[in-house]
């Protein structure tokens, strides 16, 4: 398990610089539908079921670029680059005529989210401008870097948040004014979300946005591995260059709060029976004869009182809580803030995975990270592994730790709704 350096308050040295760019977008006349060519972010696609579904939705689905399928990584990356070049040559993808920022809206029956999409100037965490809150897995960063290097394209945006002051001017005013115009595109995806996109090219609007964002600090809500990829590739290209920037969606959560959900673990090679045996005397374990919704309610109640997890995979649910204090004292580093030491994800990784179950968290053969609760349980039952379900962390806790320079264990949170991949790409050679 990787840990951040000393927990010190990081001062913001400067604000955000969101630059216009010529978005690369699908020609709606060349594809079945805009909804059919979109995808969730690469790490949310549940392989292989979700991948096959997306590939069959449309021959031009973006998944062929973000998750190309080939026998070797090098062949895979070359295939993605060839596919992208072919789609550009055929006019399936085409750049907008002038640079701009983009207002992006997602909505369903329960939530409305609006934000600004643009090319954000990159900065190191020590600058205090863009704050990560999770560790990353090195091999995933290497994987994303190789793909981005081959395609010379930001294929999908990161999701970043900031806290506006509630003013009616600045970025908020531009976003709200823009949504009264006719959108560049509008579509509804299978998950019930409607998506609309507008361009912002007026110099006065762009100047108003830049002036406002120059005083803001952002939190990486989703896309830590892609942000780390941006930073790695920036080092490979002498500045100034297009690699000094990366594609992001920036959302003011003071106006448009995001949902925060947990990311669950699937332990491929650990049967539930073995997991429970190892917990004897270390945690309280109770079997729940209840359906998934009721089991999750029990998890929420237990998590309100302390660390708690829900194990599944053998046809039942097992509520695990009340860890032995001596066990926590032996296994959790003491040089972190109390808010970090008491996170469920911290206890899961430092105590359960590293010490009790001895599961290598960096190995995809041993651990999968899955966003959907029911999918995690189904895969565990089908494969004979253990699903470890977590309760989500509050956004305020995430932001407070990030401001102290303290990163949470990898895949601790799932902010959403996440931007759909395939609506806007950023080619670095345009």
């Amino acid at each position: 398990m990787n840990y951040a350096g000393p927990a010190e308050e990081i001062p913001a040295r400067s604000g955000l610089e969101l630059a216009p760019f010529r978005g690369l977008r699908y020609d709606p006349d060349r594809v079945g539908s805009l909804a059919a060519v979109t995808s969730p972010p690469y790490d949310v696609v549940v392989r292989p079921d979700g991948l096959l579904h997306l590939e069959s939705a449309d021959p031009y689905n973006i998944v062929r670029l973000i998750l190309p399928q080939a026998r070797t990584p090098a062949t895979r990356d070359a295939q993605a680059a060839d596919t992208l070049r072919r789609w550009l040559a055929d006019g399936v993808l085409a750049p907008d005529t002038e640079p701009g920022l983009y207002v992006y809206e997602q909505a369903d029956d329960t939530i409305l989210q609006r934000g600004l999409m643009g090319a954000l100037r990159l900065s190191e965490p020590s600058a205090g401008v863009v704050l990560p809150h999770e560790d990353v897995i090195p091999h995933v960063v290497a994987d994303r870097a190789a793909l981005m290097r081959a395609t010379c394209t930001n294929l999908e945006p990161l999701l970043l948040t900031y806290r506006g002051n509630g003013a009616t001017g600045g970025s908020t005013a531009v976003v709200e004014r823009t949504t009264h115009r006719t959108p560049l595109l509008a579509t509804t995806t299978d998950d019930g979300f409607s998506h609309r996109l507008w361009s912002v090219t007026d110099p006065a609007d762009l100047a108003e946005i830049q002036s406002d964002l120059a005083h803001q600090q952002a939190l990486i809500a989703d896309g830590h591995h892609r942000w780390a990829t941006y930073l790695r590739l920036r080092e490979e290209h002498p500045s100034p260059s297009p690699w000094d920037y990366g594609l992001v969606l920036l959302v003011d959560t003071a106006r448009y709060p995001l949902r925060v959900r947990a990311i669950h673990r699937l332990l491929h090679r650990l049967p539930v029976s073995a997991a429970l045996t190892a917990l004897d005397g270390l945690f309280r374990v109770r079997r729940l004869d209840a359906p998934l919704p009721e089991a999750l309610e029990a998890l929420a109640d237990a998590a309100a009182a302390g660390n708690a997890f829900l194990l599944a995979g053998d046809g039942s649910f097992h509520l695990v809580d009340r860890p032995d204090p001596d066990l926590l004292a032996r296994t959790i580093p003491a040089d972190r803030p109390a808010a970090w030491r008491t996170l469920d994800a911290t206890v899961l990784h430092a105590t359960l995975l590293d010490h009790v179950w001895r599961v290598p968290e960096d190995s995809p053969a041993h651990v999968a990270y899955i966003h959907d609760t029911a999918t995690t349980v189904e895969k565990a039952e089908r494969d004979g592994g253990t699903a470890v379900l977590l309760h989500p962390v509050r956004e305020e806790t995430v932001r407070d730790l990030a401001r102290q320079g303290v990163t949470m264990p990898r895949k601790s949170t799932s902010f959403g709704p996440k931007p759909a991949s395939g609506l806007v790409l950023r080619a670095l050679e345009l």
Side-chain angles (χ1 to χ4, degrees):
M1 182 174 178
N2 297 322
Y3 302 98
E8 298 176 354
E9 191 76 20
I10 296 180
R13 299 178 184 173
S14 60
L16 304 170
E17 180 186 333
L18 194 64
F21 70 104
R22 293 176 63 197
L24 200 60
R25 298 190 294 113
Y26 282 98
D27 181 343
D29 295 330
R30 300 297 307 273
V31 298
S33 72
L34 290 175
V37 296
T38 64
S39 164
Y42 80 97
D43 58 337
V44 181
V45 176
V46 180
R47 291 187 265 187
D49 301 353
L51 183 64
L52 294 174
H53 170 75
L54 291 166
E55 286 182 331
S56 62
D58 190 282
Y60 299 115
N61 189 283
I62 191 66
V63 78
R64 287 179 166 78
L65 299 183
I66 64 174
L67 286 174
Q69 299 300 294
R71 291 189 175 182
T72 67
T75 304
R76 176 208 65 187
D77 298 334
Q79 176 179 296
D82 290 342
T83 299
L84 178 59
R85 281 192 292 268
R86 186 172 66 254
W87 290 359
L88 287 168
D90 293 345
V92 174
L93 287 168
D96 284 331
T97 55
E98 59 180 319
L101 299 178
Y102 296 85
V103 172
Y104 176 46
E105 176 189 275
Q106 294 167 273
D108 67 2
D109 294 337
T110 63
I111 193 168
L112 171 67
Q113 177 177 292
R114 289 171 176 161
L116 284 164
M117 198 178 298
L120 185 69
R121 179 178 287 277
L122 306 179
S123 61
E124 296 293 336
S126 59
V129 178
V130 176
L131 304 178
H133 71 269
E134 289 184 355
D135 294 330
V136 297
I137 304 172
H139 75 80
V140 177
V141 176
D143 173 89
R144 291 293 101 184
L147 180 61
M148 201 176 298
R149 198 180 290 118
T151 59
C152 290
T153 301
N154 297 156
L155 298 171
E156 46 187 344
L158 284 67
L159 176 60
L160 273 62
T161 73
Y162 71 100
R163 300 289 291 179
N165 58 13
T168 57
S171 303
T172 296
V174 176
V175 167
E176 300 305 320
R177 288 199 304 267
T178 302
T179 58
H180 292 294
R181 303 191 337 237
T182 301
L184 294 174
L185 65 85
T187 191
T188 301
T189 45
D190 289 344
D191 58 4
F193 270 92
S194 65
H195 306 260
R196 297 198 295 171
L197 189 78
W198 298 262
S199 63
V200 180
T201 58
D202 180 80
D205 286 343
L206 294 174
E208 189 172 356
I209 291 170
Q210 298 298 353
S211 177
D212 182 26
L213 295 182
H215 307 286
Q216 300 293 346
Q217 180 186 59
L219 174 74
I220 301 176
D222 185 71
H224 284 80
H225 291 89
R226 282 166 282 168
W227 183 260
T229 297
Y230 288 167
L231 295 177
R232 174 180 294 191
L233 295 177
R234 181 186 63 170
E235 295 176 357
E236 299 176 5
H237 297 82
S239 185
S241 83
W243 298 90
D244 293 338
Y245 298 80
L247 180 61
V248 306
L249 171 65
L250 192 60
V251 175
D252 176 3
T253 53
R255 186 167 182 83
Y256 295 108
L258 275 69
R259 297 172 179 152
V260 186
R261 293 173 172 164
I263 301 177
H264 311 292
R265 275 62 169 164
L266 173 58
L267 310 182
H268 295 295
R269 301 183 180 181
L270 181 69
V272 175
S273 58
L276 294 174
T277 298
L279 296 176
D280 187 35
L282 301 177
F283 285 75
R284 182 175 70 169
V285 179
R286 290 174 288 166
R287 178 172 174 167
L288 304 179
D289 294 318
L292 178 58
E294 292 182 19
L296 290 174
E297 289 180 6
L299 173 62
D301 291 341
N307 299 118
F309 311 91
L310 197 63
L311 306 191
D314 62 351
S316 298
F317 295 104
H318 307 270
L319 184 61
V320 175
D321 65 354
R322 297 188 183 179
D324 175 43
D326 291 337
L327 172 67
L328 299 183
R330 293 196 311 270
T331 57
I332 295 179
D335 61 342
R336 307 285 86 200
W340 182 91
R341 296 197 306 271
T342 55
L343 289 170
D344 288 338
T346 297
V347 174
L348 172 60
H349 283 258
T351 303
L352 289 172
L353 294 184
D354 292 355
H355 182 81
V356 177
W357 292 329
R358 300 193 180 280
V359 173
E361 59 181 297
D362 289 342
S363 170
H366 289 83
V367 183
Y369 299 86
I370 303 177
H371 292 71
D372 183 74
T373 306
T375 299
T376 311
V377 175
E378 290 167 6
K379 285 184 171 293
E381 292 180 344
R382 184 178 63 197
D383 302 339
T386 295
V388 184
L389 308 182
L390 289 84
H391 189 66
V393 183
R394 294 184 302 113
E395 180 182 355
E396 292 79 8
T397 300
V398 176
R399 193 177 297 276
D400 288 345
L401 286 172
R403 283 176 174 158
Q404 297 177 63
V406 180
T407 53
M408 299 168 64
R410 61 198 57 170
K411 300 291 184 182
S412 294
T413 58
S414 176
F415 285 83
K418 304 178 190 302
S421 298
L423 295 179
V424 183
L425 290 67
R426 175 178 173 255
L428 286 103
E429 296 179 341
L430 290 178

